[in-house]
């Protein structure tokens, strides 16, 4: 049975939250942040001598700051960084006649953009929101590829290249009022459009562009955030 830390935090917060008074503050400024962590592993075996493994880890951190332009609408600017590592291992055959392929890729992404969050009133403690956001980002990739056959190294290459992307998404979520100044937020899904541009780097990657559209709803893998209200409490 898989237990997710974010799910536990959400359940505990719902149980322990105290009365917080007014939920929204028209004209108030606020600052906040969001954090997510990814850790996944996929192993596959085909026969007694074939094996493949994929490990994916990373984190994302974003800071935002903006203003409540109405009792239910918060507009903000956002900047953030994402770091991820992908490792693939593949082995086929037996000793003396074995094929081994290994790939290790590190990607660092820095982005900036803006968004709007619309609050849907719930109770005095908990409610829902719908958040729309657009972020332009640049990513630097470092990749190492290793290949050997029959215990002889065929290639061992290291490359670096950048690419750029525009991400537009709509995310539903839950907010929790923990005090007159603090809110906790939990994103529960993602409806997204992404446009990427890959500049050419001779001998490494060719020039290309690609767009994707989709929906990701996963209640066991979501972003946790916090918002702090500035100024004098009413």
């Amino acid at each position: 049975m898989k237990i997710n830390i974010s799910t536990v935090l959400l359940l505990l917060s719902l149980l322990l939250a105290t009365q917080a008074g007014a939920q929204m503050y028209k004209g108030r400024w606020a600052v906040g942040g969001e954090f997510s962590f990814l850790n996944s592993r996929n192993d596959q075996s085909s026969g007694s001598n074939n094996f493949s493994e994929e490990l994916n880890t990373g984190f994302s951190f974003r800071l935002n700051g903006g203003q409540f332009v109405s009792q239910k609408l918060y507009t903000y600017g956002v900047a953030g960084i994402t770091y991820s590592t992908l490792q693939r291992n593949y082995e086929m055959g037996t000793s003396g006649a074995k094929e081994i392929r290994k790939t290790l890729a590190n990607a660092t992404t820095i982005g900036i953009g803006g968004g709007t969050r619309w609050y849907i009133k719930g109770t005095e403690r908990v409610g829902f929101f719908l958040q729309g956001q657009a972020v332009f980002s640049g990513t630097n990739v470092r990749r190492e590829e290793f290949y050997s056959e029959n215990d002889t190294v065929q290639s061992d290459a290291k490359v670096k290249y950048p690419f750029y992307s525009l991400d537009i998404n709509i995310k539903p979520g839950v907010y929790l009022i923990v005090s007159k100044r603090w809110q906790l937020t939990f994103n529960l899904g993602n409806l997204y459009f992404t446009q990427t541009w890959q500049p050419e780097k001779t001998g490494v990657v060719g020039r290309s562009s690609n767009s994707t559209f989709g929906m990701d709803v996963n209640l066991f893998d979501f972003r946790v955030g916090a918002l702090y209200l500035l100024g004098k409490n009413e």
Side-chain angles (χ1 to χ4, degrees):
M1 179 179 178
K2 180 180 179 181
I3 300 177
N4 186 274
I5 295 177
S6 299
T7 305
V8 175
L9 288 174
L10 175 59
L11 294 175
L12 289 176
S13 299
L14 292 175
L15 291 173
L16 300 176
T18 58
Q19 186 74 21
Q23 295 179 357
M24 257 52 78
Y25 299 84
K26 181 179 179 180
R28 294 280 296 275
W29 291 87
V31 293
E34 294 179 336
F35 178 80
S36 65
F37 178 76
L38 171 65
N39 185 16
S40 65
R41 178 171 182 165
N42 183 24
D43 297 336
Q44 294 183 351
S45 180
S46 176
S48 60
N49 298 318
N50 298 338
F51 174 77
S52 66
E53 175 186 56
E54 182 174 293
L55 307 174
N56 195 349
T57 59
F59 71 88
S60 177
F61 181 69
R62 288 182 175 178
L63 292 174
N64 67 74
Q67 185 182 39
F68 283 92
V69 296
S70 73
Q71 289 294 95
K72 295 184 178 182
L73 198 63
Y74 171 60
T75 60
Y76 60 90
V78 60
I81 183 170
T82 300
Y83 179 82
S84 61
T85 298
L86 174 63
Q87 182 176 346
R88 290 193 178 109
N89 301 316
Y90 173 79
E91 295 184 9
M92 182 179 68
T94 58
S95 179
K98 181 177 289 188
E99 178 182 335
I100 299 176
R101 296 178 184 270
K102 295 183 178 182
T103 300
L104 177 62
N106 299 316
T108 303
T109 301
I110 297 176
I112 187 170
T116 298
R117 182 183 295 165
W118 178 52
Y119 286 82
I120 304 170
K121 185 176 180 180
T123 67
E124 291 295 326
R125 303 176 184 178
V126 181
F128 296 93
F129 65 83
L130 194 62
Q131 178 174 294
Q133 188 170 268
V135 175
F136 180 80
S137 58
T139 300
N140 184 53
V141 177
R142 294 181 297 173
R143 192 178 72 224
E144 181 177 356
E145 296 183 345
F146 173 85
Y147 170 55
S148 69
E149 186 176 357
N150 298 331
D151 296 329
T152 301
V153 176
Q154 303 293 327
S155 65
D156 188 1
K158 297 180 181 180
V159 297
K160 295 181 181 180
Y161 58 89
F163 69 87
Y164 307 94
S165 61
L166 174 65
D167 297 290
I168 301 174
N169 55 61
I170 299 175
K171 298 180 179 181
V174 174
Y175 70 88
L176 172 68
I177 304 293
V178 294
S179 73
K180 290 184 177 181
R181 290 188 181 273
W182 282 102
Q183 298 178 12
L184 294 180
T185 60
F186 305 87
N187 289 112
L188 303 179
N190 187 21
L191 178 66
Y192 63 89
F193 170 81
T194 301
Q195 176 68 49
T196 60
W197 297 272
Q198 175 68 69
E200 182 180 4
K201 187 170 183 179
T202 305
V204 179
V205 292
R207 189 175 197 177
S208 65
S209 63
N210 184 49
S211 60
T212 57
F213 176 81
M215 181 173 61
D216 179 20
V217 179
N218 187 345
L219 298 181
F220 298 97
D221 184 14
F222 50 77
R223 186 181 300 269
V224 179
L227 190 71
Y228 180 78
L229 293 166
L230 303 172
K232 184 178 179 180
N233 288 319
E234 297 179 359

